[in-house]
Amino acid sequence: MSIAEPKEAQGFLDKHPEIEFFEIVFTNMAGVPRGKRLRRHEIMAVYEQGRFLPGSILVNDITGQDVEATGLVWEDGDADRIARPIAGRLTQAPWLGPDVAQVPVSMYELDGTPHDLDPRHVLKRVIDRFAADGLTPVVACELEYYLVDAERTPEGGIQLPPSPFTGDRAMQHQVYGLREVEEASDFLRDLWESADAMGVPLEGAISEYAPGQLELTLKHHADALRAADDAVLYKRSAKGCALRHGCEATFMAKPFADLAGSGMHLHVSVNDKAGKNIFASEKPEGEPVLAHAVGGMKALLADSMAIFAPNANSYRRFKANSYAPVAPTWGVNNRTVSFRVPAGAPHTRHIEHRVAGADAHPTLALAALLAAVHHGIANKIDPGPAIVGDGYAQAAGSGERIPTNWFAAVDRFAESEVLKDYLGERFVRMFSIVKRVEQERYQSVIPNTDFDWYLRTC
């Protein structure tokens, strides 16, 4: 994992005299970007010595609060760690204005050791397992999300934004509708401009299976760290661009109870030393090694749900006949299963992992997915027969379901010996602590539903 050299910053400064401000961006295990905005004269020092940041931000919960139970707050003296820029990622950030740039950073201990709670280092640990076997994972992220009105309703709820053409709010699904994409065209132009400026390979847009829901795809990449960074930066820019158009881009897994949830579909294949896809096959289901990878996905799905579905809202998404999976099933050219082998030319054979919500941390989701792929291949795990036809109906008949309880998912993750091996024992322990504290804080809030249901009846 390369650390950026000072010459990268100097070259950028020489090329962009108009840039006055630089944001250094660290995305911790909660998936929320944090960091600092610096002035132009400060950026060279970041590249020469790094920048001190408090260790507690490694384990902030999703609301930004400290998690004292990790031992990285008071007991640790909230000691500084070193943030170092990621090579090749210093870019303009058009949605922040013409005079602002950004660079993502990774966290290191003061002695230069990669910090084991930084999601990028967790993913790198898994990638190294492939490299030791002469293999390289090739991955891509495909994110669904909603554009909602930046202004909440009087009741505190959310609503779709008015059309820039008619002022009406969308009501119909209109999946793959072109007018729906055209109504988001100003946002999309800004988004694509920002992606190009960041070097993020963002592809075309579609209107998804709900009003106001979009999906854009990132290109496959043989550098899984780069692909993860692309997805993290893309989410950040989508949110920023949306605000410029009076909207919020929300990656919540289930923002509307009666509409489709938002997933993050992860695509994966594996190359050998010669760069050949080991899943490639004339057979639609791929080679046996592809099945073994699916077997690993099935075997580790329950252990990994806390990563793929990290929040309370995440579990509202898993409903039958909703294009979200409900069982650890696989199939060929079949969107009713969790693990789909898409149609395509033989050399493109790969697996689409459909479980993660759009609210999952892309870097950690890829780490959990790749751990499962490696585990399945290394142990030649049999996934069982592929589903043909309606996977929802067959799952209902079998009684086999994916875990859909947030509390049980975190408990299962905390005890997973396989994930401790792949992701690191301390990371698994600390992630579990942060999530359990989040659960306590979430449960301490009494929603209006409690009053609606119980105020008079109890």
Side-chain angles (χ1 to χ4, degrees):
M1 187 186 305
S2 58
I3 297 172
E5 297 289 339
K7 63 182 180 181
E8 179 181 337
Q10 189 59 61
F12 185 89
L13 290 171
D14 293 343
K15 184 178 180 181
H16 295 284
E18 78 281 6
I19 299 296
E20 294 291 342
F21 307 102
F22 293 80
E23 291 194 348
I24 60 171
V25 184
F26 172 66
T27 305
N28 73 357
M29 62 176 66
V32 179
R34 307 189 187 282
K36 294 185 175 184
R37 178 173 282 208
L38 306 177
R39 298 187 67 188
R40 182 181 178 92
H41 67 268
E42 297 179 273
I43 193 64
M44 282 304 301
V46 177
Y47 279 76
E48 291 165 350
Q49 294 103 32
R51 187 80 180 198
F52 291 117
L53 291 177
S56 58
I57 70 169
L58 286 151
V59 289
N60 287 141
D61 74 2
I62 200 165
T63 70
Q65 296 184 77
D66 286 336
V67 178
E68 297 175 13
T70 61
L72 292 180
V73 186
W74 311 129
E75 294 93 329
D76 187 58
D78 198 7
D80 280 336
R81 270 69 176 184
I82 289 282
R84 295 195 178 278
I86 298 168
R89 306 262 32 179
L90 174 57
T91 65
Q92 294 172 280
W95 71 94
L96 296 174
D99 58 353
V100 183
Q102 68 168 7
V103 62
V105 297
S106 271
M107 296 289 278
Y108 294 79
E109 298 287 6
L110 298 187
D111 64 2
T113 304
H115 202 291
D116 59 355
L117 301 184
D118 181 335
R120 295 188 82 253
H121 298 312
V122 173
L123 174 57
K124 178 62 163 55
R125 178 185 174 116
V126 181
I127 295 169
D128 287 346
R129 297 285 285 268
F130 284 87
D133 295 335
L135 300 173
T136 301
V138 179
V139 299
C141 299
E142 181 181 81
L143 286 149
E144 301 166 336
Y145 56 100
Y146 282 88
L147 293 179
V148 300
D149 200 317
E151 185 174 339
R152 302 274 284 270
T153 67
E155 299 76 26
I158 61 173
Q159 59 187 344
L160 297 175
S163 163
F165 301 150
T166 67
D168 297 330
R169 301 183 195 275
M171 298 178 63
Q172 298 178 342
H173 285 66
Q174 297 298 352
V175 63
Y176 280 82
L178 287 174
R179 173 165 174 166
E180 285 64 33
V181 173
E182 290 156 7
E183 290 188 331
S185 61
D186 288 343
F187 161 75
L188 290 170
R189 283 192 186 95
D190 284 353
L191 182 59
W192 280 315
E193 177 190 356
S194 296
D196 289 347
M198 294 186 297
V200 171
L202 188 60
E203 307 254 79
I206 65 164
S207 172
E208 254 296 343
Y209 194 65
Q213 190 182 40
L214 297 170
E215 179 186 84
L216 289 89
T217 303
L218 293 159
K219 289 181 70 173
H220 288 71
H221 211 300
D223 180 345
L225 272 173
R226 177 91 187 187
D229 292 340
D230 286 343
V232 169
L233 292 172
Y234 162 46
K235 289 180 72 170
R236 171 170 155 80
S237 63
K239 286 180 170 291
C241 290
L243 286 173
R244 293 170 67 94
H245 295 276
C247 300
E248 289 274 4
T250 180
F251 293 83
M252 282 179 65
K254 190 72 171 176
F256 297 99
D258 56 344
L259 297 176
S262 293
M264 177 169 60
H265 300 156
L266 305 174
H267 296 254
V268 61
S269 58
V270 179
N271 287 351
D272 62 17
K273 289 181 179 179
K276 180 180 180 297
N277 179 7
I278 65 174
F279 294 169
S281 177
E282 294 288 344
K283 297 176 290 186
E285 70 275 17
E287 292 301 306
V289 67
L290 183 151
H292 296 152
V294 173
M297 292 179 188
K298 290 186 68 173
L300 285 187
L301 180 58
D303 289 18
S304 306
M305 283 301 293
I307 294 286
F308 297 137
N311 305 308
N313 177 263
S314 307
Y315 294 85
R316 301 184 187 277
R317 172 172 159 260
F318 301 109
K319 294 185 177 181
N321 304 319
S322 68
Y323 291 105
V326 297
T329 50
W330 77 290
V332 178
N333 195 17
N334 189 335
R335 285 183 172 85
T336 68
V337 298
S338 292
F339 315 120
R340 178 175 79 110
V341 182
H347 72 279
T348 69
R349 201 72 66 223
H350 70 281
I351 307 163
E352 178 190 50
H353 187 287
R354 297 173 59 82
V355 178
D359 58 338
H361 192 312
T363 310
L364 294 179
L366 284 172
L369 165 65
L370 294 180
V373 170
H374 188 274
H375 178 65
I377 293 173
N379 294 282
K380 294 182 169 58
I381 298 176
D382 181 1
I387 291 288
V388 177
D390 187 348
Y392 293 120
Q394 294 179 55
S398 70
E400 193 177 24
R401 303 280 292 188
I402 61 175
T404 55
N405 180 288
W406 187 29
F407 294 83
V410 173
D411 289 345
R412 178 76 177 253
F413 177 79
E415 299 301 320
S416 175
E417 295 301 325
V418 177
L419 289 181
K420 289 176 187 177
D421 178 36
Y422 277 96
L423 309 184
E425 185 279 332
R426 193 166 85 119
F427 173 79
V428 169
R429 175 162 46 88
M430 290 294 189
F431 183 91
S432 302
I433 289 171
V434 171
K435 284 299 163 185
R436 283 168 172 158
V437 170
E438 275 189 19
Q439 289 168 341
E440 291 173 4
R441 290 170 174 167
Y442 185 87
Q443 287 292 89
S444 71
V445 178
I446 300 176
N448 287 340
T449 306
D450 277 22
F451 304 128
D452 295 341
W453 283 40
Y454 307 123
L455 184 66
R456 295 181 179 177
T457 57
C458 296

